[in-house]
Amino acid sequence: MFLVVPDPAHGLVAAPQSPEDRTPVTEQSLTARGFAWNGEIEAYTRSAEFDPAAVDHTVSMLRALGHYVFFSYTPPQS
């Protein structure tokens, strides 16, 4: 299972629930889309994107790989 959310401090975040969610195919797919593993928060991150389409695209990709995915999108406060 993954949680996908935009985060002001880390950008677009795709956080696995457990290490078993970090399959080689999932890692390759996320890396190919510009994500990098951030051990500090134990999640994949990509530069700041506060676009619902970026969240939807990541959710769709993870679901296509067989993961259950929860997601949220809240625009940043100005």
Side-chain angles (χ1 to χ4, degrees), residues 16 19 31 38-41 43 52 60 67 73-74:
T31 301
N38 181 329
E40 182 180 314
I41 63 169
S60 295
H67 295 285
Y73 176 78
T74 303

Side-chain angles (χ1 to χ4, degrees), residues 14-69:
Q17 180 183 21
S18 70
E20 290 79 26
D21 295 316
R22 294 181 63 195
T23 66
V25 172
T26 301
E27 272 193 43
Q28 290 171 352
S29 297
L30 287 165
T31 301
R33 287 165 179 78
F35 284 87
W37 180 251
N38 181 329
E40 182 180 314
I41 63 169
E42 297 187 5
Y44 294 93
T45 61
R46 186 168 71 187
S47 62
E49 290 186 60
F50 297 101
D51 176 11
V55 173
D56 289 342
H57 184 265
T58 304
V59 168
S60 295
M61 183 268 303
L62 289 167
R63 285 184 175 160
L65 294 173
H67 295 285
Y68 291 104
V69 183

